[in-house]
Amino acid sequence: MTTQSILLDDLERDALTELVNIGVSRAAANLRKMVGEQVLLSVPAVEVVTREGATTLIRERESGELVAVRQDFAGVFSGRALLIFPQSNSMALVHAVTGGALSVADAADMEDEALAETGNVVLNSCLATMANMLQRPLTMSLPEVIRGDGSKLFHLSPETSDGGVVLFLYINFAVNDRDIRGYIAMLMDLPSLHALKGLIADFIERVVGDA
Amino acid sequence: MGTTVLIVDDSKLARIVLGKTIAALQPDWTRVEAGNADEAIAAFDAQAIDVAVLDYNMPGRDGLALAEELRERFPTMPIAVATANVQDEIISRARAANATFIAKPVTEEGMRGFLSGAALRLRSAAQ
């Protein structure tokens, strides 16, 4: 028996995946408006893993340096949302969202700002959609651009006493016809997962009702 | 002959929500479910289906690929593709397959137009 199956039953896990799917689909539609090309999404993966496990999941796919836009969210449940992509894709994304309007030097100067704004739009539309469906407000921190490997990206602070287990949700995305791809990821620690479990049960009750 | 609608979504919860919404709007319709595109094709091989509502983002073939495949086989069947992914390319691909686009989360309001249009088309085809 895995930790995951203890924490979420099949229908709760299904409901969470569907919530994330709807959230990232909205986010992709907004990212599409920014980059002017279709954004392709994978089906979300929902796992309960240690932080090291989350790091490993990304590292298995990405050996190089990563850049991420990070926003922490807080409310009945709290955690961290990340838009992650290989550092080598970063400038291509900046060019895509600025529509080629900037010179190479200006684009380089604008890199972090453009990344932060892109992350802000994508992560907010995803989280706001989920918050609306769960009928609980979430507050979002300002976006912050970080660079490094998975362990730096997924280090939630302050350190909790849950043995480092987190709910880890991730989706691959790619921008059609451009060399841009990455991940939208969310991490929540165990107290948040328990709160989220309650909200998911309420959500299921609301949408399923007496069906 | 009654009307049978096939609901295709990898999420059981989404199938429940779609089924409940359809039941509220078209209580006489028979609802059958499939969890992916292959199961959907098997359902079409096994029985007569009049209307199909497809999720877009599914493991295996997505709902648009399935819609295109079904359209070849059933030129006039009412088909809807449900997704929160309101990108122009997705909406226009749905349109090209002559499938109706339905926004997720699915509501009775969002489904009403498609279902009543489908009911009308099926009635006039039967005459």
Side-chain angles (χ1 to χ4, degrees), chain A residues 11 14-15 18 21-22 25-26 28-29 32 36-44 133 203-204 206-211, chain B residues 9-17 20 55-60 83-90 93 103-106:
Chain A
L11 190 57
D14 180 306
E18 180 65 5
N21 206 354
I22 291 175
S25 295
R26 288 269 176 91
R32 188 250 172 268
E37 295 279 352
Q38 186 176 3
V39 177
L40 309 168
L41 289 180
S42 71
V43 175
M133 292 183 71
F203 169 72
I204 292 170
R206 268 198 309 282
V207 298
V208 173
D210 53 3
Chain B
D9 199 307
D10 57 312
S11 162
K12 183 182 172 198
L13 184 91
R15 293 198 302 271
I16 294 171
V17 172
K20 201 181 152 200
D55 178 36
Y56 168 57
N57 196 10
M58 293 188 288
T83 177
N85 197 337
V86 293
Q87 296 186 63
D88 298 347
E89 290 80 0
I90 290 170
R93 240 182 98 191
K104 272 194 176 185
V106 168

Side-chain angles (χ1 to χ4, degrees), chain A residues 40-111:
Chain A
L40 309 168
L41 289 180
S42 71
V43 175
V46 177
E47 319 235 12
V48 176
V49 292
T50 60
R51 285 190 185 80
E52 292 71 34
T55 306
T56 305
L57 279 168
I58 293 296
R59 198 182 282 144
E60 278 170 356
R61 292 166 175 78
E62 302 295 339
S63 52
E65 280 289 291
L66 300 172
V67 56
V69 185
R70 167 187 126 181
Q71 275 182 291
D72 290 339
F73 55 91
V76 179
F77 59 96
S78 53
R80 171 169 301 171
L82 297 146
L83 179 71
I84 306 168
F85 35 90
Q87 172 67 45
S88 55
N89 287 186
S90 171
M91 285 315 295
L93 183 67
V94 172
H95 281 295
V97 297
T98 54
L102 298 176
S103 70
V104 173
D106 285 347
D109 284 345
M110 288 273 300
E111 181 180 352

Side-chain angles (χ1 to χ4, degrees), chain A residues 78-207:
Chain A
S78 53
R80 171 169 301 171
L82 297 146
L83 179 71
I84 306 168
F85 35 90
Q87 172 67 45
S88 55
N89 287 186
S90 171
M91 285 315 295
L93 183 67
V94 172
H95 281 295
V97 297
T98 54
L102 298 176
S103 70
V104 173
D106 285 347
D109 284 345
M110 288 273 300
E111 181 180 352
D112 279 15
E113 198 177 312
L115 294 177
E117 180 54 20
T118 307
N120 190 41
V121 169
V122 169
L123 300 174
N124 267 294
S125 52
C126 181
L127 288 167
T129 302
M130 292 177 66
N132 285 344
M133 292 183 71
L134 291 170
Q135 300 186 349
R136 287 295 187 286
L138 290 176
T139 56
M140 259 79 85
S141 73
L142 289 172
E144 188 189 338
V145 177
I146 48 179
R147 291 179 167 78
D149 61 10
S151 57
K152 188 174 176 200
L153 270 38
F154 300 145
H155 182 83
L156 290 170
S157 56
E159 207 59 62
T160 45
S161 57
D162 53 26
V165 177
V166 290
L167 176 70
F168 183 55
L169 307 138
Y170 64 99
I171 302 93
N172 295 36
F173 73 87
V175 179
N176 208 25
D177 294 336
R178 287 189 194 251
D179 192 16
I180 303 171
R181 60 184 183 77
Y183 307 84
I184 297 168
M186 255 178 273
L187 271 89
M188 276 173 258
D189 57 20
L190 279 199
S192 282
L193 179 52
H194 287 297
L196 181 63
K197 183 181 163 83
L199 293 182
I200 290 171
D202 293 347
F203 169 72
I204 292 170
E205 176 68 27
R206 268 198 309 282
V207 298

Side-chain angles (χ1 to χ4, degrees), chain B:
Chain B
M1 275 292 280
T3 301
T4 299
V5 55
L6 176 68
I7 298 164
V8 188
D9 199 307
D10 57 312
S11 162
K12 183 182 172 198
L13 184 91
R15 293 198 302 271
I16 294 171
V17 172
L18 281 165
K20 201 181 152 200
T21 309
I22 293 168
L25 294 165
Q26 300 287 348
D28 299 334
W29 288 15
T30 304
R31 299 179 303 279
V32 290
E33 296 184 4
N36 58 46
D38 289 342
E39 283 181 30
I41 295 299
F44 275 97
D45 293 338
Q47 66 186 110
I49 289 162
D50 306 292
V51 180
V53 179
L54 320 174
D55 178 36
Y56 168 57
N57 196 10
M58 293 188 288
R61 271 170 300 160
D62 67 39
L64 280 173
L66 179 60
E68 286 157 0
E69 188 176 336
L70 292 175
R71 181 53 73 218
E72 294 218 338
R73 210 167 134 185
F74 307 100
T76 62
M77 180 173 68
I79 300 175
V81 175
T83 177
N85 197 337
V86 293
Q87 296 186 63
D88 298 347
E89 290 80 0
I90 290 170
I91 295 172
S92 63
R93 240 182 98 191
R95 214 168 266 157
N98 192 18
T100 303
F101 173 84
I102 291 175
K104 272 194 176 185
V106 168
T107 60
E108 283 187 29
E109 267 326 296
M111 283 289 276
R112 180 169 286 129
F114 170 69
L115 292 184
S116 54
L120 205 65
R121 268 160 74 185
L122 292 170
R123 267 204 304 278
S124 61
Q127 277 170 2

